[in-house]
Amino acid sequence: QVQLVESGGGLVQPGGSLRLSCAASGTIFSFNTMGWYRQAPGKQRELVAALTRGGSTNYADSVKGRFTISRDNAKNTVYLQMNSLKPEDTAVYYCNAVFLGEHWGQGTQVTVSS
């Protein structure tokens, strides 16, 4: 059973930065894909960034150039570095892993507000 635990969310002013972490119970190098999704109130969950086992990345157009997904295989952790945050980035952010099925973390709240 894969378990994912997110951390690093919080309240930040527009233009600020946050780094989200997702600690996995398994060996993330073996995961097909790991990614970050977000869901704002009243909206559907959407892909923010994804990282394949081979190292390819994919970003939502709205975050390209501002967010960076990365991983530390030794720590079984995936990160989402978020810079130049905007109020529209406010959402619950979920970690996702694809490995013998799809797995989700519990989510972490990110609020961008002055």
Side-chain angles (χ1 to χ4, degrees), residues 31-35 49-53 55-58 69-71 78:
F31 293 179
N32 295 331
T33 303
M34 293 196 73
L51 176 62
T52 70
R53 184 168 54 192
S56 298
T57 57
N58 183 36
I69 188 170
S70 63
R71 69 184 180 211
V78 173

Side-chain angles (χ1 to χ4, degrees), residues 1-4 23-31 73 75-77:
Q1 181 72 14
V2 175
Q3 293 186 329
L4 305 171
S25 59
T27 303
I28 65 172
F29 184 74
S30 62
F31 293 179
N73 292 336
K75 296 182 178 179
N76 288 328
T77 299

Side-chain angles (χ1 to χ4, degrees), residues 76-88:
N76 288 328
T77 299
V78 173
Y79 304 98
L80 184 68
Q81 178 67 43
M82 305 185 295
N83 299 327
S84 302
L85 283 161
K86 305 175 180 180
E88 51 264 43

Side-chain angles (χ1 to χ4, degrees), residues 60-114:
D61 288 342
S62 59
V63 307
K64 283 180 180 176
R66 300 188 298 123
F67 291 12
T68 303
I69 188 170
S70 63
R71 69 184 180 211
D72 185 332
N73 292 336
K75 296 182 178 179
N76 288 328
T77 299
V78 173
Y79 304 98
L80 184 68
Q81 178 67 43
M82 305 185 295
N83 299 327
S84 302
L85 283 161
K86 305 175 180 180
E88 51 264 43
D89 294 318
T90 295
V92 178
Y93 284 70
Y94 297 90
C95 182
N96 170 272
V98 177
F99 178 71
L100 300 178
E102 197 166 26
H103 309 275
W104 295 92
Q106 81 287 353
T108 185
Q109 177 70 47
V110 171
T111 302
V112 184
S113 175
S114 56

Side-chain angles (χ1 to χ4, degrees), residues 11-45:
L11 173 64
V12 63
Q13 292 187 342
S17 297
L18 282 175
R19 188 178 78 158
L20 305 183
S21 299
C22 172
S25 59
T27 303
I28 65 172
F29 184 74
S30 62
F31 293 179
N32 295 331
T33 303
M34 293 196 73
W36 289 93
Y37 287 71
R38 67 186 180 188
Q39 187 167 19
K43 294 188 176 181
Q44 290 188 330
R45 191 173 296 189

